[in-house]
Every structure is written in structure tokens, then in C-alpha cells.
Amino acid sequence: MSIDQLNTDYGIPGHLTFAAGNGGFPMIHIDNGQAKALISVYSGQVLSFQPATETADVMFLSDKAYYAEGKAIKGGVPICWPWFGPDPEGLGRPAHGFVRNRLWNVVATSTTPEGATQVILGLKDTDETRAMWPQIFELAIAITVSTTLTVELITRNLGDKAFPLSQAFHTYFQVGDINRVQVLGLENTQYLDKADGGVEKTQVGGVVATGEVDRIYLDVTNELVIDDSSLNRRIRIKSSGSKSAVVWNPWVTISANMADLDDSDYQRLICVETTNAATDIVEVPAQGEFRLAAIYSVERD
């Protein structure tokens, strides 16, 4: 569908427009007075979210991000689905699934009575997806932009058998200085330290990065906070449908080795991911559905 047709069918005058972005991908630009946001139809991915009261974006987006078919975009809220991490069956399929590197469909756009902007993007199974993952499904992401950002991923199993699912909002948050950041709400929680061979450990105090951080937290609460003293703000993450969370920062070596990150980007980002990962595997019943959701908000003293 052309950009002109998307604007005709789904544009909201004064609030939402479509334009060709990097790589020629259709991008959704939202500016509704409450916040600005940028959403890539390729990958079904929020790339930017900035409440009207904020001078800095909530999301981190790499200046070196790829915008090419088959590549993931480094930043914002990538969607990992229908598995998180390496191929769970070791069949050589792409890490983090196959929906973050394909074009989604625009299903609907609307304005709520409160002035928020809602976008629904969707995907359905195809011969190509069934060759990788033999399930009949309908996937939708519902994005609501207001003073807060709400992202909801709805999986519908259209088949006659239940299927297992692991997934994530692999969210990249912009921070002022990683050395002045801590993640709160995970105190005394067990985690798998993937930077240390997957050893299970217990979190003591807030999560701080003094080197590579790659951890899956188990049996988490549904509310976490990124305390960023450099930008004098707290980003609050409220989740539902999730019992696990991932905290990730690549630190020096990995950041330098990633072609789609600048060498110093590790200083300006932290990923706090709403997940169904590790032991937190979801079983989606035949003809049933499952919803994973996160609400992101910014607080100041």
C-alpha cells in the first residue's frame, strides 16, 4: 500500500501521518499534543516516544541502526516473537523470532475521547512463516500514545492445538549516563546471569551496570523503575502477562563489535524488557489468545 493510500485510509489530520522513512519503510508520525511518537510499520516497532513535557526521548535509537529487509532495527521497542533468544529447537532459525524483521499490516488508527492516538498493526501466518514455525496465528500490536506509551501484543492461536510461546518487548531506553542509572523493583529477585554462563544469582539492591549486563529475572513484580539521575527522571514500566524481565547493557566490547551501535552507545542506553522468557513460557490454547502489555511513563520530582 502506498504512503498516499495509507494517509487516505488511516491518517488522522493534525495527529497522525504516514511518510517514507529510512530504507523506504513506511513510518507513522504521531504528534497529538500529549506526546510525539515514531512507529515503523516494518517490524511493528515504536522507535521514538517523547511526552510533550519532556525535552529528551524516552527511547534510545541507534544512529547506526539498519533499515533493510531482513534486518532488525536497533532501538525503540523491538518485538521478539514467537521465541525469545536463540532458536529454542536449534534449527538455525533467527534469534528472537521472525516478526521484528518483516513488514506488518496497518489494521486501524483512532483517537480516544481523551485525545490519545491508537494504532493497531497486525500479522498473519503465511507459507513462509509456517515453514519456520508450523502454527496458524493472528498477531496484533496495539500502541496507544498519550502522556504515557502503552504497547500490547495480542497472540491468537487459530489452530486446533495449543502452542508454547516465549516473547519480549526488547525495549531500549535512553539514559543520560549509564554510570548514574539504577533499575529498581528487582531487589532480592533471582536471576540467570547470561554474562556469567547462566548461573542463577540473587539481586542485591538496585541493578547497576559496571560491565556487561545480560540477566533474566524470574518471578518479577509488574512494576519496575529506571532511576536516571543524570536526566533527573524516572521511567516507570508497568507490565501484565509477564512473570520475567530482562536487563541488558552491552558495555564496551560488545558495543564496539556491533556494527549497528556506536562504540560509546552503551553509555546512553539500557534495555529493561517485559518478557515471557526462561521458565516463564506461555501456553496459548487452541482458538485462544494471550496478551502481553507494558505501560511506559516518565516521572520527575
Side-chain angles (χ1 to χ4, degrees):
M1 187 178 291
S2 71
I3 295 297
D4 287 346
Q5 194 63 53
L6 286 168
N7 276 310
T8 298
D9 293 350
Y10 300 107
I12 303 175
H15 282 193
L16 184 155
T17 58
F18 291 82
N22 290 336
F25 294 144
M27 298 285 179
I28 302 171
H29 296 261
I30 295 172
D31 186 352
N32 57 21
Q34 299 182 25
K36 295 179 180 180
L38 179 65
I39 302 167
S40 175
V41 179
Y42 173 86
S43 71
Q45 187 169 339
V46 178
L47 299 181
S48 170
F49 170 65
Q50 187 171 339
T53 54
E54 289 297 303
T55 57
D57 206 307
V58 175
M59 301 297 165
F60 170 87
L61 179 62
S62 174
D63 290 337
K64 293 187 173 182
Y66 299 125
Y67 297 89
E69 292 285 347
K71 296 284 191 179
I73 301 173
K74 184 80 75 182
V77 190
I79 304 299
C80 304
W81 189 97
W83 56 81
F84 173 81
D87 179 352
E89 297 178 28
L91 301 177
R93 298 174 296 181
H96 294 319
F98 53 80
V99 304
R100 64 180 185 152
N101 57 8
R102 66 187 54 229
L103 193 68
W104 290 52
N105 300 308
V106 181
V107 176
T109 60
S110 62
T111 300
T112 71
E114 297 77 27
T117 305
Q118 293 184 324
V119 174
I120 299 176
L121 305 176
L123 278 178
K124 295 181 179 179
D125 59 281
T126 64
D127 290 344
E128 181 192 2
T129 68
R130 288 190 296 274
M132 286 189 287
W133 190 63
Q135 308 297 344
I136 305 171
F137 69 86
E138 190 173 75
L139 186 65
I141 183 165
I143 300 162
T144 304
V145 177
S146 64
T147 56
T148 63
L149 173 67
T150 300
V151 182
E152 186 175 26
L153 189 63
I154 305 109
T155 300
R156 297 186 178 96
N157 179 355
L158 304 183
D160 57 7
K161 294 181 179 179
F163 60 67
L165 182 69
S166 62
Q167 58 186 343
F169 300 137
H170 195 317
T171 310
Y172 290 73
F173 295 98
Q174 179 173 230
V175 296
D177 177 358
I178 191 62
N179 298 298
R180 298 177 61 188
V181 169
Q182 59 177 336
V183 180
L184 306 175
L186 294 168
E187 296 81 357
N188 303 314
T189 301
Q190 300 297 113
Y191 66 90
L192 304 178
D193 191 345
K194 295 173 67 181
D196 189 19
V199 174
E200 186 167 333
K201 301 178 181 180
T202 302
Q203 180 63 42
V204 178
V207 182
V208 296
T210 56
E212 179 192 352
V213 176
D214 191 357
R215 303 173 183 177
I216 303 176
Y217 287 84
L218 311 172
D219 297 319
V220 303
T221 66
N222 65 354
E223 197 161 327
L224 304 177
V225 173
I226 301 170
D227 185 5
D228 181 359
S229 62
S230 179
L231 292 181
N232 190 33
R233 70 181 184 185
R234 291 177 299 280
I235 300 171
R236 188 172 297 274
I237 306 161
K238 295 183 179 180
S239 64
S240 61
S242 169
K243 296 178 182 177
S244 58
V246 169
V247 180
W248 180 76
N249 181 283
W251 212 248
V252 178
T253 302
I254 294 176
S255 192
N257 289 336
M258 282 187 166
D260 54 353
L261 276 181
D262 187 79
D263 289 0
S264 62
D265 274 345
Y266 75 93
Q267 299 173 356
R268 297 182 290 274
L269 72 85
I270 191 166
C271 290
V272 181
E273 308 172 34
T274 299
T275 65
N276 298 117
T279 56
D280 182 21
I281 302 297
V282 173
E283 191 85 1
V284 186
Q287 302 300 314
E289 71 173 35
F290 184 82
R291 293 175 179 248
L292 178 70
I295 303 173
Y296 307 110
S297 58
V298 181
E299 302 171 355
R300 292 185 180 274
D301 293 328

